[in-house]
Structures are given as structure tokens and as C-alpha cells.
Amino acid sequence: MREVLEAVRQSIEQAALGSGRRSEEITLVAVSKFATLEQVYQAIACGQMDFGENRADKLLEKTAVISDSVRWHFIGQLQTNKVKYIIDKVSMVQSLDRLSLAKELDKRAAKAGRVVPALLEVRLNDNPERGGVPPEEVEPLLEQCASFAHLRVQGLMCVAPLGCDAKTTEDCFERVRSLFEHLKTRCPDNASMQVLSMGMSHDYVAAIRHGATMVRIGSAIFAPQQGKS
């Protein structure tokens, strides 16, 4: 595990340097959705503290036995009826994609006595089942979220369309980066554009070239048990 994580970190550093940035500007989220508890413990022992889960039940299984010092990111489509179970467990919800979810996050965070950080997920294809907000609807949703006292939008997240070629992937990343930069100047007072979460095991180098400040890597760390993520 140590050698694998070090190789990924070195790759991130090289990609950052190649784009005139420092590796410290980029947060690695280890996507542990198919990882065993032993693998997660091994990663923690190697200094990895940010992990991503895409299902509430799997997140709860891991948080029940793993140290509170770990920062958990919810990265999958989140049903409103599951928010109450995870609201006190997550450091960030990366898949905010509708007003009803924002309302529920704010309501449950208020009851838990906390403010929950979130990213607006940008949908880059025409398939609504993939989750996310069409690019043209991101700014209106950001403005709507400004009314919530216990929810703080801190940036954007995206997933490149499955099966697309390298050029299409890079075009998608550049589109989201342009939106991110545009919104920096238009954010409400209680929101910000600090985090740009994009790039997974097969495309994180390209994502870093296009300004990602956070990458979500699963199979490159936890293979062979974990499928591509």
C-alpha cells in the first residue's frame, strides 16, 4: 500500500509541476467504496486521511469502526431520506445537485449543530440518471443555496462522461474549470469557489492540467479488489 500511494502522490506532484502548480494545492481523496477495512487501515497508516464513499450504508459501516480523524467525502448520488444518517459523519458532500437536497442538508445540519460543506456536481452529459446539474443551471442553484445558514457551497465537482476519448475528457474538464473561474466573481457571501473536484483513476492527470484542486482516486490505489472508479 505504501508504494502504491507514494506512486500516486508522485504522479500528482509531477502533474502539478507540469502545470505550474504545487502538489500541496491538490487534495487526494482515496475512493474506498470497494476497499476492505484492512485496505483503508493500511492507507491511513500511510498518512491518507481523505476518503470518498458513494453509498450511505457503506459509509456508515466504515465510520462505525474507523477513527474520527478520517475525513469522509460523500461522492455519490444522495437521496434526501439518507441525509439524516450521514450528516454528522461527512466532512463534505460533493454531489449536491438539486434544491430539495440542499434544503435537507441545511435542515439536518442545523439539528446536528454544524455547517456542512458541499460541492455542486456539474453534469456533463444528457443523462439525468448520472446525477448532477447541467452547467447552465449551476449558477441559479448556487444563488438558491445562499439562503441556507447551515450549508456552505465551496466549489464544483464533475465526472467526465463514461467511455469518452481523451480530447472529450479534457474539453469537459476545461468547461468546468471555466465555469468555476466565472463563479468566483459571482459567489454569494456565504459561498466560495475554493474546491474544484475532478479527475479519477484514469483521468486525474488531465484533470490536474485543467485546474483540479481535488482528485478522487480509487482503483489506482485499492486494486485489484476495487473496480475502476
Side-chain angles (χ1 to χ4, degrees):
M1 177 63 71
R2 188 172 299 278
E3 291 180 356
V4 171
L5 267 172
E6 184 59 30
V8 169
R9 288 167 179 160
Q10 287 181 358
S11 179
I12 290 172
E13 181 175 8
Q14 291 169 0
L17 290 173
S19 57
R21 302 163 65 200
R22 297 178 297 112
S23 60
E24 292 81 4
E25 299 174 21
I26 300 162
T27 299
L28 168 60
V29 175
V31 178
S32 52
K33 61 184 182 181
F34 293 125
T36 64
L37 283 175
E38 180 181 0
Q39 287 177 307
V40 174
Y41 281 128
Q42 289 174 352
I44 293 170
C46 297
Q48 181 61 34
M49 288 289 111
D50 289 274
F51 293 86
E53 289 286 330
N54 70 338
R55 287 178 51 183
D57 57 343
K58 296 299 182 182
L59 173 68
L60 293 173
E61 285 178 9
K62 291 185 173 74
T63 57
V65 295
I66 293 176
S67 167
D68 290 341
S69 62
V70 171
R71 295 179 291 270
W72 294 100
H73 300 249
F74 196 87
I75 61 174
Q77 288 181 270
L78 180 57
Q79 296 174 325
T80 54
N81 64 354
K82 297 295 178 65
V83 170
K84 61 186 175 183
Y85 301 114
I86 69 163
I87 196 64
D88 61 339
K89 306 292 193 302
V90 293
S91 295
M92 177 175 282
V93 173
Q94 296 201 21
S95 50
L96 176 54
D97 62 357
R98 59 197 186 278
L99 184 59
S100 61
L101 178 57
K103 289 179 178 178
E104 187 67 14
L105 286 168
D106 179 67
K107 170 184 162 184
R108 296 295 178 178
K111 288 185 177 181
R114 63 168 302 198
V115 175
V116 61
L119 304 180
L120 298 182
E121 181 179 359
V122 184
R123 189 172 80 226
L124 295 170
N125 60 28
D126 296 327
N127 182 3
E129 293 183 2
R130 293 288 297 168
V133 187
E136 64 275 11
E137 296 178 17
V138 170
E139 189 170 346
L141 180 58
L142 177 62
E143 292 172 354
Q144 290 174 316
C145 289
S147 64
F148 299 121
H150 295 272
L151 174 67
R152 290 291 182 274
V153 175
Q154 295 186 346
L156 304 178
M157 184 269 262
C158 75
V159 179
L162 295 175
C164 63
D165 58 31
K167 183 180 184 307
T168 301
T169 296
E170 298 222 20
D171 288 346
C172 287
F173 288 155
E174 186 56 34
R175 185 180 183 188
V176 177
R177 180 214 179 123
S178 295
L179 178 61
F180 180 76
E181 295 296 335
H182 167 74
L183 292 174
K184 278 184 177 180
T185 64
R186 303 179 68 87
C187 270
D189 290 342
N190 66 339
S192 62
M193 286 291 123
Q194 298 177 351
V195 179
L196 181 55
S197 175
M198 58 185 191
M200 301 188 293
S201 291
H202 60 292
D203 58 13
Y204 70 90
V205 172
I208 291 171
R209 284 199 299 269
H210 290 273
T213 67
M214 182 177 286
V215 292
R216 310 177 308 274
I217 301 178
S219 59
I221 296 173
F222 295 116
Q225 285 88 342
Q226 178 161 310
K228 187 170 286 189
S229 65

